[in-house]
Amino acid sequence: MNSAQDDLEARLRERLLLTRPVAGDRLMLADATMLAAIDGSRVLTPNERQALAGSPLTLRRFRQLSLERHAAPRPAANDPEWTGSHGMLRAASTAEALEALVTDDGHWTLHFLPRDGGWQVILSLSAEAPFAARLLREQPQLRVIDGGGAIILQGRLDADGECERAWPFATAPASHFQLYGAGFAVEPVAP
């Protein structure tokens, strides 16, 4: 099969999913839930995926939110404005004990240190991040969330550009991230 034919079949499947009538159809998921899934900061649960697949109206809204998100102008990599960073546990990270995770933009690192039978998690801001000076000066409240939306760490950066706390979960960091879609996000906390 060629790529043009694959493209056509994908568009036909999409159109079929989006236009099929379902009696009593209504929005099954909140916009916030769908936006979190789109930007990778939260993984949809099996029930949420089933609701999305079973409701053409919800699927159309999900598609619209996705198109809007991808069409919105994104700040340039050297833009000092920062609205959040995302990262993922890579397959190579699971071979040994997890020591660190880096966001996709390279601006943040999560370090995991063994401590008293558990772990300490440290969030570090890269000095090369274009917004580093502003964040260190303004000291906004930040949080790190896992793919399920649970807070891993929340606080303000110290003078060294770090924030730390005890690992809040019973499972080891690598296992925990695997349970929640392997993703994480660093984001400012809304005032």
Side-chain angles (χ1 to χ4, degrees), residues 41 83 142:
S41 63
T83 57
L142 304 172

Side-chain angles (χ1 to χ4, degrees), residues 3-174:
S3 117
Q5 191 172 4
D6 290 343
D7 243 10
L8 178 62
E9 285 182 16
R11 280 186 276 156
L12 289 172
R13 274 193 308 271
E14 178 183 10
R15 182 157 300 205
L16 179 65
L17 281 172
L18 293 173
T19 59
R20 75 182 196 285
V22 172
D25 192 14
R26 61 186 174 83
L27 279 178
M28 301 299 289
L29 299 173
D31 280 2
T33 301
M34 292 187 281
L35 284 168
I38 290 166
D39 71 20
S41 63
R42 182 180 180 286
V43 176
L44 292 178
T45 66
N47 285 341
E48 290 168 336
R49 285 193 304 269
Q50 185 177 4
L52 181 63
S55 168
L57 182 63
T58 306
L59 195 56
R60 281 193 300 275
R61 180 66 180 152
F62 184 85
R63 182 176 182 272
Q64 182 62 34
L65 290 171
S66 179
L67 291 171
E68 287 171 4
R69 175 64 56 104
H70 294 295
R74 294 184 171 236
N78 61 354
D79 189 339
E81 281 301 311
W82 173 76
T83 57
S85 299
H86 301 279
M88 223 160 189
L89 175 70
R90 308 289 183 220
S93 301
T94 61
E96 303 174 2
L98 184 61
E99 293 179 5
L101 288 176
V102 179
T103 56
D104 296 339
D105 59 17
H107 298 316
W108 301 94
T109 303
L110 284 177
H111 300 275
F112 304 96
L113 306 171
R115 181 165 295 161
D116 300 327
W119 296 270
Q120 189 75 1
V121 61
I122 302 168
L123 173 66
S124 300
L125 173 61
S126 168
E128 277 82 50
F131 47 82
R134 184 177 58 79
L135 289 185
L136 289 172
R137 183 179 60 254
E138 295 176 6
Q139 295 289 306
Q141 181 91 326
L142 304 172
R143 72 176 166 213
V144 179
I145 58 172
D146 64 21
I151 296 174
I152 295 169
L153 175 146
Q154 184 166 315
R156 298 181 194 285
L157 297 173
D158 62 18
D160 295 327
E162 295 183 343
C163 180
E164 69 179 275
R165 76 172 276 195
W167 177 251
F169 307 106
T171 54

